[in-house]
């Protein structure tokens, strides 16, 4: 089964300009900002703990998150549909060039890949700085389904730079038949980033992070994480 979808993307950014000749005022502002950030982090940690104690986590629960999660919000065992991502490719839609491609070795299992049960849920990407200037990319994913039918398979993915949302994706895979192999390409129109943000992201590798949440019938069944560096080749 193969299909292609264009994905709506939202971007969030915050820019704070402080102009003051009073050093004490400037220091006070930074202190208040740091205190608020710490308070927000504590609030989210409490919220994450609450979510992990629930029987199931909903889309509405996830949409209330305001920063990158500290831990996974569902166990691996929640994937009762045995959904397995086997191939992933990113290409530049303008040039057609392949930017990243990976495939799971045939016969490999998550247990054999690592003693860490969460190893298969985390990916580290390294791209050159030019990646941040791309306006449109295509992401092709191949995945297999177990013996159960999958209704309303949906993914919500959020990307953060230092806990600031820089882009958010939300798309629906729809219905997947049992024991099937599915391939889907999503077309992303990427939001423009300021020169300052791009420079910071290049200078601070792996401070850009993402959470990917997968739902079936509105219930969280998979949670993957990734971080990104944009200084490859420098």
């Amino acid at each position: 089964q193969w299909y292609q979808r264009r994905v709506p993307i939202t971007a969030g950014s915050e820019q704070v300009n402080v102009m003051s000749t009073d050093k004490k005022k400037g220091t006070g502002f930074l202190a208040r900002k740091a205190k608020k950030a710490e308070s927000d982090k504590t609030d989210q940690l409490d919220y994450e703990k609450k979510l992990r104690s629930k029987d199931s986590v909903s889309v509405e629960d996830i949409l209330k998150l305001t920063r990158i999660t500290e831990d996974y919000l569902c166990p691996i065992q929640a994937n009762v549909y045995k959904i397995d991502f086997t191939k992933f490719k990113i290409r530049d839609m303008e040039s057609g060039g392949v930017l990243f491609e990976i495939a799971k070795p045939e016969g490999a299992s998550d247990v054999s890949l690592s003693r860490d049960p969460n190893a298969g849920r985390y990916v580290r990407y390294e791209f050159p700085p030019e990646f941040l200037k791309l306006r449109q990319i295509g992401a092709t994913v191949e995945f297999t389904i177990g013996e159960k039918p999958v209704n309303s398979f949906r993914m919500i993915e959020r990307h953060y730079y230092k806990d600031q949302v820089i882009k958010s994706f939300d798309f629906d895979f729809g219905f997947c038949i049992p024991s099937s192999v599915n391939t889907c390409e999503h077309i992303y129109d990427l939001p423009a980033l300021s020169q300052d943000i791009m420079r910071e992201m290049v200078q601070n590798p792996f401070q850009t992070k993402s959470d990917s949440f997968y739902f079936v019938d509105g219930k969280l069944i998979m949670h993957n994480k990734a971080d990104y560096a944009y200084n490859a080749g420098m």
Side-chain angles (χ1 to χ4, degrees), residues 34-103:
K35 185 176 181 180
K36 184 179 185 305
E38 188 63 31
S39 176
D40 290 345
K41 181 177 180 180
T42 300
D43 289 344
Q44 174 146 319
L45 288 174
D46 291 340
Y47 183 60
E48 288 183 35
K49 184 177 180 180
K50 178 182 176 181
L51 293 184
R52 284 192 293 272
S53 68
K54 295 181 64 174
D55 292 335
S56 64
V57 177
S58 69
V59 171
E60 291 72 23
D61 291 330
I62 293 303
L63 293 178
K64 293 177 183 177
L65 294 168
T66 58
R67 57 194 296 139
I68 196 75
T69 58
E70 294 293 323
D71 203 352
Y72 298 97
L73 298 185
C74 68
I76 292 179
Q77 293 78 9
N79 182 15
V80 297
Y81 301 91
K82 300 189 183 303
I83 299 169
D84 188 20
F85 294 101
T86 53
K87 292 181 182 179
F88 183 62
K89 179 178 72 174
I90 299 175
R91 66 186 178 112
D92 175 15
M93 296 302 294
E94 183 176 347
S95 68
V98 175
L99 306 169
F100 178 84
E101 189 168 17
I102 190 171

Side-chain angles (χ1 to χ4, degrees), residues 192-211:
L193 300 171
S194 70
Q195 291 294 323
D196 288 342
I197 288 293
M198 285 193 288
R199 182 167 54 251
E200 280 197 39
M201 291 168 70
V202 171
Q203 293 173 349
N204 295 276
F206 307 118
Q207 291 298 307
T208 306
K209 304 179 181 183
S210 67
D211 279 313

Side-chain angles (χ1 to χ4, degrees), residues 122-161:
Y122 168 82
V123 180
R124 170 159 282 189
Y125 296 97
E126 296 185 53
F127 296 114
E130 291 74 23
F131 186 92
L132 295 172
K133 298 178 182 179
L134 298 178
R135 297 277 61 85
Q136 189 180 71
I137 61 172
T140 301
V141 60
E142 179 185 280
F143 59 96
T144 60
I145 302 295
E147 297 179 355
K148 293 184 177 183
V150 175
N151 294 302
S152 301
F153 186 29
R154 178 180 178 183
M155 185 192 88
I156 294 176
E157 183 171 278
R158 286 179 168 179
H159 291 243
Y160 300 84
Y161 173 66

